[in-house]
Amino acid sequence: TKLILLDSLLQERNMVIDPECIFWGVLGFMWIEFLWEGYIGRRQRKIYKTQTEVPAELKNILDEETFTKARLYALDKSSFGSVEGLFSQMMSTGMLWLQGYRIFWDISGQTLGKLGYSSDYEVLQSLLFSFYLSVFGTITGLPFTVYSTFVIEQKHGFNKQTVPFFIKDQIKKFIVGQTIQAPILAGIIKIVYWGGEHFYLYLWLFAMFMLLFLMTVYPDYIAPLFDKYTPMPEGELRKGIEDLAASVEFPLYKLYVVEGSKRSSHSNAYFYGFYKFKRIVLFDTLLEVGERMKLKENSEEKEEEVDEKAAKMGCNNEEILAVLGHELGHWKLNHVLKNIIIAQVQIFMMFLLFAYLSKSKPLYVSFGFSDAQPVLVGLMIVLQFILAPYSAVVNFLMTVLSRKFEFQADEFAAKLGKAAQLQTALIKLNNDNLGFPIYDWLYSAWNHSHPPLLERIDVLKKYQ
């Protein structure tokens, strides 16, 4: 077969491929990508530092005070992100240079021995390996998470988490993450050994099944572990949403409001579900204070005093319907389905490449594995490092496609007669979230899956 032919060609080249070339190639591209992102990040920070006055075209969108707050918030996040990025890059370089993956693999093997198992139990050793890497990543990343939450987000008025809430949340995230990750990794390793020469096909089918399974169970069984979901109470807004959904034949099954205000004052809305079981979820921070109070009235919780900032945040009912008109546009135009199909094609190609490279000894030697070729390690090497140039290009193309989808969803909402309301909603959401509306073109093109605010407003004006 074609795969056997590829494998034989690869085996013939094994003695020719220099592991050092693989190592330096991986490390070199990693630094090229880091320097590129640092360069465009620096271009954007220059705008944050120099653009201190509201441009004429923004006078009707935000006032001087909001503009200054948004600029300083963006500057703080960008400066902090550059430090975090440098730390992460040095850690990744250290892991490669010191053969960190081999070290963690050996530690997991030692633990396995103490538990009375031999190194033949690759699945158990791989699970320990993954667990130790997760613990290491959590510990090294925790100071940055704490600083981001309790310094930057707190300083700019967004953080609503208490320290006990934060600690409990981090523990739950880790436990849930490991609980989900372990059986998936075990399944992947078993499939590779069981599937024979076509294991990549079975691996792809398994990945597709797990994606659909998690998309089904996550909103109903996992997400409620972290946030409270409440059915939207009867009223004008609920009826408006139901009528809007019916007008575009969206099979609305349930309508929820998630209590995101316990975590942050940032706002959002989304839908999920399959076939005729679609749910719409609104963050309570998206609602005006009157609608938020209705939620408190229908719950057993005591009503809390609303601070001045929170009282001014949120969108009115017509603006929320416009935002949902945009989200329903993504559904009606099959954007979600298209993204799933594209993702599945990418996953299949990645697994096919992994099947081709999985028996390449120089690939493992370059990462310190001269006497073993663990499935999980090989998969990590291929997906994270070997495919890095390909992933960078694909991510950029997906960003371009995403921006196109956003314009199409805006057009859909506008054709529902909600162009004016969507404009004001976008402005309110931008200001509530302290979004800085001025971007370097290169930075925006590379990073933003959503078009900048001004571009979206200019297009929406054509429909009024």
Side-chain angles (χ1 to χ4, degrees):
T1 66
K2 185 181 292 186
L3 186 59
I4 292 175
L5 177 60
L6 290 175
D7 267 344
S8 63
L9 290 173
L10 183 62
Q11 293 299 326
E12 290 176 6
R13 295 203 309 266
N14 272 349
M15 299 305 294
V16 180
I17 300 174
D18 185 355
E20 284 198 14
C21 290
I22 298 175
F23 174 82
W24 288 109
V26 166
L27 188 62
F29 181 80
M30 194 169 72
W31 274 93
I32 289 172
E33 188 174 28
F34 172 73
L35 293 173
W36 162 251
E37 293 183 352
Y39 165 70
I40 58 177
R42 185 175 180 182
R43 286 170 60 113
Q44 182 60 33
R45 274 194 302 281
K46 183 178 179 181
I47 291 178
Y48 295 147
K49 292 176 180 178
T50 58
Q51 191 71 56
T52 57
E53 296 183 2
V54 183
E57 64 269 24
L58 292 172
K59 292 289 186 182
N60 296 327
I61 294 179
L62 71 171
D63 54 39
E64 189 77 41
E65 181 183 2
T66 304
F67 181 85
T68 300
K69 287 181 178 179
R71 183 181 69 83
L72 295 176
Y73 178 47
L75 182 58
D76 281 351
K77 287 197 299 179
S78 179
S79 299
F80 172 71
S82 66
V83 175
E84 184 179 17
L86 179 60
F87 176 82
S88 177
Q89 182 69 7
M90 296 305 295
M91 287 293 298
S92 298
T93 301
M95 284 287 289
L96 290 180
W97 195 269
L98 300 174
Q99 297 185 340
Y101 293 108
R102 181 67 209 222
I103 293 173
F104 278 102
W105 183 259
D106 289 341
I107 292 173
S108 63
Q110 292 168 11
T111 304
L112 203 63
K114 292 178 181 178
L115 295 174
Y117 295 94
S118 70
S119 58
D120 294 333
Y121 290 84
E122 185 178 331
V123 172
L124 290 178
Q125 187 167 353
S126 297
L127 295 182
L128 284 170
F129 171 75
S130 173
F131 175 76
Y132 288 148
L133 279 178
S134 297
V135 171
F136 178 72
T138 299
I139 292 173
T140 56
L142 188 59
F144 294 98
T145 304
V146 170
Y147 188 89
S148 175
T149 303
F150 291 102
V151 177
I152 294 180
E153 295 296 305
Q154 188 83 29
K155 173 183 176 182
H156 295 279
F158 289 111
N159 177 49
K160 302 300 178 183
Q161 300 182 64
T162 62
V163 172
F165 179 94
F166 175 84
I167 294 173
K168 184 171 71 172
D169 198 53
Q170 294 300 310
I171 293 173
K172 281 196 295 185
K173 283 180 180 178
F174 186 84
I175 294 174
V176 171
Q178 292 301 307
T179 303
I180 295 172
Q181 178 178 276
I184 293 176
L185 293 181
I188 288 173
I189 296 168
K190 285 293 185 182
I191 288 171
V192 169
Y193 285 113
W194 166 81
E197 64 182 73
H198 297 297
F199 75 80
Y200 61 91
L201 179 60
Y202 303 117
L203 209 53
W204 173 65
L205 293 173
F206 175 71
M208 184 163 53
F209 168 77
M210 289 306 305
L211 174 65
L212 297 177
F213 176 73
L214 289 175
M215 286 176 64
T216 302
V217 303
Y218 179 83
D220 290 327
Y221 299 101
I222 300 175
L225 297 174
F226 301 95
D227 297 295
K228 181 180 178 181
Y229 288 74
T230 305
M232 176 169 281
E234 296 293 336
E236 181 183 345
L237 179 57
R238 184 185 180 93
K239 185 177 186 308
I241 294 173
E242 291 173 341
D243 291 344
L244 175 64
S247 70
V248 297
E249 301 179 326
F250 179 81
L252 179 60
Y253 178 60
K254 290 183 179 179
L255 183 56
Y256 292 110
V257 178
V258 58
E259 196 174 24
S261 56
K262 286 287 182 73
R263 187 180 303 276
S264 169
S265 57
H266 289 297
S267 51
N268 199 2
Y270 63 92
F271 71 88
Y272 66 93
F274 293 105
Y275 194 47
K276 294 184 179 181
F277 299 97
K278 299 285 194 298
R279 286 91 157 170
I280 291 178
V281 177
L282 305 179
F283 278 54
D284 60 346
T285 48
L286 183 65
L287 310 178
E288 287 189 325
V289 65
E291 291 293 335
R292 274 177 266 161
M293 290 299 101
K294 289 181 183 178
L295 293 172
K296 296 293 184 182
E297 291 171 4
N298 291 347
S299 70
E300 298 179 357
E301 295 182 11
K302 295 181 179 179
E303 293 189 14
E304 300 175 0
E305 290 188 13
V306 180
D307 59 47
E308 185 178 349
K309 178 184 175 181
K312 295 178 181 178
M313 296 178 69
C315 297
N316 63 39
N317 290 358
E318 288 301 316
E319 290 164 344
I320 290 175
L321 292 177
V323 171
L324 290 179
H326 169 94
E327 295 300 325
L328 292 175
H330 285 306
W331 169 78
K332 193 72 173 180
L333 298 170
N334 292 316
H335 292 165
V336 175
L337 178 61
K338 290 174 184 176
N339 279 328
I340 290 176
I341 292 173
I342 292 171
Q344 290 306 312
V345 171
Q346 298 299 319
I347 291 172
F348 178 80
M349 296 302 293
M350 289 177 179
F351 285 152
L352 181 61
L353 181 63
F354 169 62
Y356 172 53
L357 296 175
S358 60
K359 295 180 176 64
S360 171
K361 186 170 183 178
L363 194 68
Y364 288 87
V365 172
S366 62
F367 285 81
F369 290 83
S370 57
D371 57 348
Q373 297 183 19
V375 170
L376 180 58
V377 172
L379 191 62
M380 289 175 59
I381 291 172
V382 172
L383 299 188
Q384 186 175 348
F385 298 109
I386 304 302
L387 282 173
Y390 169 80
S391 297
V393 173
V394 169
N395 288 341
F396 173 70
L397 294 177
M398 290 303 297
T399 298
V400 173
L401 181 63
S402 176
R403 290 162 76 107
K404 180 181 179 181
F405 284 170
E406 291 302 318
F407 279 126
Q408 290 177 349
D410 281 351
E411 180 183 15
F412 183 86
K415 288 181 177 179
L416 292 175
K418 302 187 181 300
Q421 296 92 332
L422 184 56
Q423 281 187 64
T424 57
L426 290 174
I427 292 170
K428 281 186 178 180
L429 291 173
N430 180 81
N431 294 347
D432 287 351
N433 291 286
L434 291 184
F436 192 70
I438 305 172
Y439 294 101
D440 172 77
W441 71 271
L442 191 57
Y443 176 88
S444 180
W446 186 259
N447 287 289
H448 289 162
S449 60
H450 286 57
L453 176 65
L454 289 177
E455 290 183 27
R456 296 179 72 177
I457 289 177
D458 287 342
V459 172
L460 285 170
K461 286 180 180 177
K462 299 176 183 177
Y463 296 96
Q464 288 184 250

